[in-house]
Amino acid sequence: MVADQGERAAAEGALVLFSGGQDSATCLAWALERFGRVETVGFDYGQRHRVELDVRPVVLEAIRARFPDWAGRLGDDHMLDLSVLGQVSDTALTRDVEIAMQDNGLPNTFVPGRNLVFMTFAAALAYRRGLRHLVVGVCETDYSGYPDCRDDTMKAMQLALNLGMETRFVLHTPLMWIDKAETWRLTESLGGEALVGLIRDETHSCYRGDRSQVHDWGHGCGECPACDLRAEGWRRFRATP
């Protein structure tokens, strides 16, 4: 049965929501191990840390060059203009303001509706491209409390997309129940030190878009919540024998 499921997956295609960050790059490697054809989609929504869009093609090309077994599976990359999302958002990810907690208990880096919009457009693209599987790097273990990253939200989105498009999408969230240290371990299990090094050096997670500073865990300001999570995850990953 397991073998049959693996064979079916290898014959099917997947679309990975790929931002250029650590989590989505790990999910991309996860998908490349499982599916016969993998395409990627990114979103330009006027994000403050838009340097992540610049590193996307660098990461994709590095995967093709350094992992020949995956190169043949890695298909087209798509970039969608969702600047309207930035226009209706007033957050620390779409405006040059200090990162802070809000009265509702969420950080002001939360972009309301962002993942809901992303999933809807990704599904529309996957429908056109004939891709059944959607892979996204959301997580509710090491995260900032964003409600659109939660497992319940993703399950509801899968149901809504399948009902609304009358199809059978499968939403995959490989990182949902693991922390950042375990994400690094997953990276290592998928592609060894070569993949760990690629994701450390080439991806971008810093909310401030700072690539001028280099740490042992990668580029970033070293002070924002995204850098804190990545750095602490790296420390615990490297501390594990």
Side-chain angles (χ1 to χ4, degrees):
M1 182 68 172
V2 174
D4 290 343
Q5 290 175 347
E7 290 170 4
R8 275 203 306 273
E12 294 182 326
L15 180 65
V16 178
L17 283 73
F18 176 55
S19 68
Q22 175 191 358
D23 291 346
S24 65
T26 303
C27 286
L28 176 55
W30 182 91
L32 287 166
E33 275 288 286
R34 285 160 176 77
F35 301 104
R37 177 167 64 105
V38 177
E39 299 188 13
T40 49
V41 61
F43 304 99
D44 183 348
Y45 61 99
Q47 57 265 55
R48 177 179 175 185
H49 56 304
R50 62 183 300 109
V51 68
E52 69 178 4
L53 304 182
D54 297 330
V55 306
R56 291 178 74 261
V58 176
V59 175
L60 292 173
E61 187 53 41
I63 288 175
R64 287 191 177 95
R66 303 181 200 178
F67 298 90
D69 289 345
W70 292 345
R73 299 182 175 195
L74 184 54
D76 292 344
D77 179 43
H78 311 270
M79 177 62 65
L80 302 184
D81 180 0
L82 294 183
S83 53
V84 66
L85 183 59
Q87 292 170 23
V88 300
S89 300
D90 186 16
T91 76
L93 289 194
T94 54
R95 302 286 187 272
D96 188 10
V97 297
E98 282 300 310
I99 297 171
M101 291 300 295
Q102 304 175 105
D103 292 340
N104 63 2
L106 292 173
N108 64 353
T109 52
F110 173 59
V111 182
R114 180 179 60 168
N115 284 340
L116 308 183
V117 172
F118 286 179
M119 294 307 304
T120 301
F121 275 86
L125 176 63
Y127 188 99
R128 177 169 66 84
R129 301 290 294 175
L131 302 168
R132 179 168 175 254
H133 299 269
L134 299 172
V135 184
V136 59
V138 293
C139 163
E140 64 169 275
T141 303
D142 265 356
Y143 80 133
S144 299
Y146 299 167
D148 61 355
C149 288
R150 295 172 186 159
D151 188 55
D152 284 348
T153 302
M154 290 297 111
K155 285 184 168 65
M157 282 301 299
Q158 176 173 288
L159 178 61
L161 293 171
N162 284 333
L163 288 174
M165 298 189 190
E166 201 165 293
T167 187
R168 302 300 295 175
F169 289 124
V170 181
L171 269 61
H172 300 272
T173 55
L175 312 184
M176 181 58 74
W177 305 115
I178 64 176
D179 61 24
K180 279 292 184 291
E182 292 169 317
T183 298
W184 283 114
R185 293 186 196 106
L186 175 60
T187 300
E188 186 178 47
S189 72
L190 290 166
E193 278 297 319
L195 185 61
V196 170
L198 189 161
I199 289 180
R200 179 194 62 216
D201 297 338
E202 305 297 350
T203 65
H204 178 87
S205 301
C206 173
Y207 283 157
R208 291 176 176 151
D210 186 345
R211 287 189 73 79
S212 66
Q213 302 181 57
V214 185
H215 312 269
D216 55 355
W217 44 265
H219 296 267
C221 69
E223 298 174 353
C224 73
C227 285
D228 288 344
L229 280 174
R230 183 162 168 161
E232 177 59 17
W234 176 265
R235 184 193 65 77
R236 287 188 285 112
F237 165 61
R238 285 308 195 198
T240 304

